[in-house]
Amino acid sequence: MTPAGLLVFSSLLTRTLCVIAPQIPDFSTGEKKIVNGPFWHEVITELYEDHEDDVSTTTTEPLPIFEDAASTNNVTAQLGSRVHLHCRVHDLGEKTISWVKRRDDELHLLSFGRHTYSADSRYSLAFEHPNDWRLLIQYVSERDEGFYECQISTHPPLVRRVHLSVVVPKVEIIDERGRPLQDKFYKEGSIIELRCIVSEVPQPTRQVNWKHGARLLNYDTKRGGISVKTEATANGALSRLYIANANRHDSGNYSCSLADVAASAVSVHVLRGENPLAMQRGGSVAFSHPTLTLLAALAS
């Protein structure tokens, strides 16, 4: 065939393919369908439409969310206690949780995943099933106060900030009028009664200890006649120490303490015989002035 004839044949073949609609089987239904236009255009269009269907049906991984309410972002702990900072996360997936302590503009890494990275052994990650990435701080000190961040390793990171406040309990031994005591005088044979007020405690407590010198009195059975009664109050406790039939051996230093956190002390003097300066209102009076204390001692 001459080149001119070959050119004419190619032109007729192309026109035939474009005009005559070939019957191409639809393999998904088993039927034939008419393709309007060049078959290669139809094939490419089907591939493109299939690709669009794949994209539209693809599901994306849900983002993690914090479960804890904003009202739990402020935590108060007592000096010397242990505290958990909670961080409950839903749909964590393959992401990682970390805790950091913010000091001014600096961030100090405390934990990453389930591993602790703080040089301070009081800090540890205490995970609680199913989704609470708790930061545990033991023997809380005043320097622990401040902002902590629970971070999720998204881009950018999701952050939950928690502020820890540390309160220092107040312990005072008081007289009948609620004034602090330094010395207290009793008549021999009377009942010693001391009152101790514990305040500025996050939760009511009954853990109040009384000591005479180094001897714990709460569970003392050797002397006899000793009673300790403690009742919880709104922000602490009120504790009373009773010692029956006071004698000179009961004189000395008495202390009231809340665990090993805070304490108050008073000097008790048991005197023989009536003394107008030392005895008042059922055999007891408190002297706050050193001169009166000395006179009462000399008079005995």
Side-chain angles (χ1 to χ4, degrees), residues 114 126-132:
R114 299 201 183 195
F127 179 80
E128 184 178 50
H129 186 78
N131 63 346
D132 193 358

Side-chain angles (χ1 to χ4, degrees), residues 3-295:
L6 181 61
L7 181 62
V8 172
F9 177 77
S10 299
S11 177
L12 291 173
L13 178 62
T14 302
R15 187 174 298 176
T16 301
L17 291 173
C18 293
V19 174
I20 299 174
Q23 294 187 352
I24 300 177
D26 185 349
F27 295 101
S28 62
T29 63
E31 299 177 355
K32 293 183 179 181
K33 64 179 180 179
I34 302 301
V35 179
N36 297 318
F39 68 91
W40 57 83
H41 173 76
E42 181 71 12
V43 171
I44 294 175
T45 303
E46 287 186 356
L47 290 174
Y48 180 75
E49 290 177 348
D50 290 345
H51 179 69
E52 280 191 332
D53 292 341
D54 292 342
V55 172
S56 63
T57 57
T58 301
T59 57
T60 58
E61 182 181 347
L63 286 175
I65 58 173
F66 294 110
E67 176 185 329
D68 298 278
S71 59
T72 64
N73 290 353
N74 294 306
V75 178
T76 301
Q78 178 182 301
L79 181 71
S81 66
R82 54 182 288 173
V83 63
H84 285 100
L85 304 184
H86 296 275
C87 184
R88 300 176 179 89
V89 179
H90 282 303
D91 300 321
L92 182 61
E94 299 299 322
K95 302 298 187 292
T96 305
I97 299 291
S98 59
W99 276 99
V100 297
K101 171 74 183 295
R102 179 176 290 277
R103 294 192 185 98
D104 299 326
D105 294 330
E106 297 182 357
L107 292 177
H108 299 267
L109 181 64
L110 302 176
S111 70
F112 184 80
R114 299 201 183 195
H115 301 282
T116 303
Y117 286 89
S118 173
D120 191 336
S121 61
R122 298 179 305 113
Y123 291 88
S124 62
L125 195 284
F127 179 80
E128 184 178 50
H129 186 78
N131 63 346
D132 193 358
W133 297 81
R134 304 178 302 171
L135 179 68
L136 171 62
I137 308 175
Q138 301 190 72
Y139 311 108
V140 172
S141 66
E142 291 182 81
R143 71 176 183 272
D144 295 321
E145 190 168 86
F147 283 99
Y148 294 79
E149 293 184 0
C150 176
Q151 299 185 353
I152 304 176
S153 61
T154 55
H155 300 285
L158 297 175
V159 177
R160 178 176 184 265
R161 300 185 73 188
V162 180
H163 184 266
L164 175 64
S165 300
V166 179
V167 296
V168 181
K170 185 178 180 180
V171 178
E172 286 184 311
I173 298 178
I174 60 175
D175 62 12
E176 292 79 1
R177 297 182 181 180
R179 299 175 300 185
L181 282 177
Q182 294 181 346
D183 294 270
K184 188 139 187 184
F185 296 82
Y186 292 94
K187 178 182 177 181
E188 191 173 35
S190 65
I191 298 176
I192 295 175
E193 178 183 352
L194 298 176
R195 295 196 300 168
C196 179
I197 292 288
V198 178
S199 59
E200 299 182 19
V201 177
Q203 296 178 348
T205 181
R206 295 177 181 269
Q207 300 177 349
V208 179
N209 293 326
W210 284 94
K211 289 184 178 180
H212 180 200
R215 182 165 58 97
L216 183 64
L217 301 178
N218 292 59
Y219 311 104
D220 184 277
T221 57
K222 184 177 180 180
R223 185 218 184 265
I226 297 177
S227 174
V228 174
K229 296 182 179 180
T230 303
E231 58 186 69
T233 60
N235 66 338
L238 170 61
S239 184
R240 292 182 174 88
L241 170 68
Y242 300 94
I243 301 178
N245 194 23
N247 59 62
R248 286 184 174 268
H249 295 290
D250 296 319
S251 296
N253 186 70
Y254 286 78
S255 63
C256 167
S257 65
L258 179 64
D260 296 325
V261 178
S264 179
V266 62
S267 292
V268 170
H269 309 270
V270 179
L271 308 174
R272 279 184 183 171
E274 286 285 334
N275 188 304
L277 292 177
M279 312 306 301
Q280 183 179 340
R281 291 186 181 179
S284 66
V285 68
F287 292 99
S288 57
H289 197 283
T291 304
L292 295 177
T293 303
L294 179 60
L295 288 174

